[in-house]
Amino acid sequence: MLKVGECWLGDERMKAMILHKQAPIESSPLICSDVDKPKIKEGELLLKIRCCGVCRTDLHIVEGELPLMRLPLILGHQVVAILEKVDEGINNVKRGDKVGVPWLYWSCGKCKYCRRGLENLCDNALFTGYSIDGGYAEYMVAKANFVYTIPKDYDDLHAAPLLCGGAVGYRALKLTRLLERGEGNLGLFGFGSSAHMIAQVALNKGLEIYVFTRDKKRQEHALSLGARWAGAPIDEAPVKLDAAIVFAPASWIMIEALKKLDKGGRVVLADIYMTPIEQLDYKLIWLEKEIKSVANVTSRDVREFLIEASKAHVKPDVTVYTLKDANKALNDLKQGRIKGSAVLKIT
Ligand SMILES: [Zn+2]
Ligand SMILES: [Zn+2]
């Protein structure tokens, strides 16, 4: 037996941070535990986890803002891991490969949404670290067709944030429809972890970026990355926007984005939440303007984004924690004390 942190481990056992009951993160509800290593079934892979990103969705699960799908639960859906066991008959990956696992753990491939390539809307989908145990552990099981090769130019810690904030932001960027045009003025409302990754991809694709945030440091950061202009959400924009992505969950910011939108433009809402829209003046959507929300990601989004991020040399800022400090990482996220994205370094 080998002692690691506060847990005792044997060969068939592993260390994991386990949620037994939803509670405020200040009460440290994730318990460091010694549990059986998971076993693979047909079509599955056993992953030895290197690191796992910490996401605001994890906090929502812990604190009860999202309903539970199972208990006890191991959180974590931005997993970077090495394949330790691969079920017979799987040939898209092999033992020793380094892969990522995002929020979409599995989709049925049969429902009407999956058949249209909208597996993000699948009625039967499973989600990593929510309906299935995730990456706040030394090992996890994944489905062979739902893991993604990590580009060689990324180390483990900088690859993890690409798998959630980066991939969901990329879906939002695709839904603006500016990528297929290869030009246009794109407004980014909010400039946190997801927006700063997407800005780099958008610039690399030839779009002009205009950033709207009240935070002066974030405005400077945006300009240093190549944004044409940065100001507050209520400021007048120097140009009409062909599309905008709203990263903040505030409806007044969506209204500000609509005011700055050109004819035929689209505002994409990248957050799961939005404060109620109390009043929407029809003239804000007149002239074929649209509002579109984003719900998680498809396999194709993740695959494409990892390639585009590598081409654009997207380098997320990370703050590193140990596995047993997962409660602290989530608490720091809640208190806004993290620069960039928090990542748990596991092995
Ligand atoms: Zn996430
Ligand atoms: Zn489906």
Side-chain angles (χ1 to χ4, degrees):
M1 297 283 263
L2 169 72
K3 191 180 180 192
V4 179
E6 287 146 22
C7 301
W8 292 92
L9 303 176
D11 274 358
E12 294 308 313
R13 304 284 280 173
M14 70 167 186
K15 184 164 66 122
M17 294 300 286
I18 297 187
L19 179 72
H20 294 276
K21 187 168 160 276
Q22 287 177 314
I25 193 64
E26 292 81 358
S27 67
S28 296
L30 302 182
I31 311 291
C32 182
S33 310
D34 172 8
V35 295
D36 285 343
K37 254 162 82 168
K39 296 206 169 21
I40 57 171
K41 298 194 291 284
E42 198 184 334
E44 291 184 338
L45 313 161
L46 180 68
L47 278 58
K48 184 169 172 54
I49 300 173
R50 304 289 286 265
C51 67
C52 182
V54 174
C55 176
R56 194 162 288 278
T57 302
D58 301 339
L59 188 60
H60 293 319
I61 298 169
V62 169
E63 299 202 316
E65 281 145 334
L66 285 173
L68 280 176
M69 311 283 280
R70 56 177 287 167
L71 266 183
L73 172 67
I74 301 173
L75 297 166
H77 58 268
Q78 302 172 78
V79 183
V80 177
I82 303 293
L83 295 185
E84 183 157 299
K85 264 188 213 159
V86 175
D87 187 37
E88 286 170 25
I90 293 174
N91 41 32
N92 63 324
V93 286
K94 60 181 189 312
R95 189 169 186 268
D97 284 356
K98 188 193 285 188
V99 298
V101 188
W103 175 246
L104 182 70
Y105 183 86
W106 176 84
S107 63
C108 76
K110 292 178 183 149
C111 71
K112 68 174 186 179
Y113 307 104
C114 283
R115 290 203 310 270
R116 285 161 59 200
L118 294 172
E119 47 189 348
N120 57 314
L121 303 180
C122 174
D123 281 333
N124 309 304
L126 297 174
F127 302 105
T128 314
Y130 187 43
S131 37
I132 292 284
D133 280 338
Y136 287 20
E138 290 180 309
Y139 292 88
M140 69 174 281
V141 167
K143 301 281 188 192
N145 295 329
F146 293 86
V147 296
Y148 306 88
T149 305
I150 301 292
K152 295 223 175 333
D153 44 342
Y154 280 92
D155 61 41
D156 304 342
L157 296 169
H158 290 91
L162 303 179
L163 294 161
C164 186
V168 176
Y170 180 70
R171 180 165 185 81
L173 179 60
K174 279 171 73 175
L175 290 176
T176 65
R177 297 177 302 195
L178 294 185
L179 288 183
E180 56 218 49
R181 265 191 252 167
E183 59 173 9
N185 299 324
L186 173 65
L188 300 178
F189 289 75
F191 203 69
S193 171
S194 180
H196 96 278
M197 288 188 259
I198 287 322
Q200 294 170 68
V201 172
L203 287 163
N204 197 44
K205 289 287 193 181
L207 307 185
E208 304 284 355
I209 300 292
Y210 298 82
V211 170
F212 300 81
T213 171
R214 279 178 292 194
D215 188 318
K216 293 275 180 223
K217 279 215 175 85
R218 290 182 182 202
Q219 290 178 5
E220 283 164 25
H221 188 193
L223 293 170
S224 74
L225 289 173
R228 270 287 157 100
W229 176 93
I234 53 164
D235 288 351
E236 191 141 347
V239 292
K240 282 281 188 191
L241 301 174
D242 297 303
I245 305 174
V246 177
F247 290 93
S251 61
W252 72 268
I253 295 185
M254 179 197 80
I255 300 287
E256 287 303 320
L258 283 170
K259 286 181 192 166
K260 297 165 184 34
L261 202 61
D262 205 350
K263 290 180 276 189
R266 184 184 266 193
V267 168
V268 178
L269 310 175
D271 210 290
I272 302 180
Y273 296 99
M274 172 68 66
T275 55
I277 301 163
E278 278 162 26
Q279 204 181 349
L280 181 63
D281 189 338
Y282 183 61
K283 75 172 189 280
L284 287 178
I285 52 167
W286 169 236
L287 297 171
E288 305 198 346
K289 297 179 195 178
E290 290 174 274
I291 303 169
K292 178 112 178 156
S293 65
V294 179
N296 85 71
V297 286
T298 65
S299 304
R300 188 174 161 190
D301 298 329
V302 180
R303 242 188 328 269
E304 285 179 7
F305 175 63
L306 290 172
I307 294 166
E308 294 302 335
S310 174
K311 279 194 211 159
H313 308 292
V314 172
K315 194 91 196 276
D317 292 326
V318 297
T319 303
V320 181
Y321 294 81
T322 61
L323 176 60
K324 68 180 169 59
D325 281 337
N327 288 300
K328 181 172 177 352
L330 283 164
N331 198 10
D332 285 351
L333 178 68
K334 184 176 180 179
Q335 306 302 332
R337 289 193 291 249
I338 292 173
K339 184 171 179 283
S341 305
V343 180
L344 307 178
K345 187 174 185 307
I346 296 168
T347 50

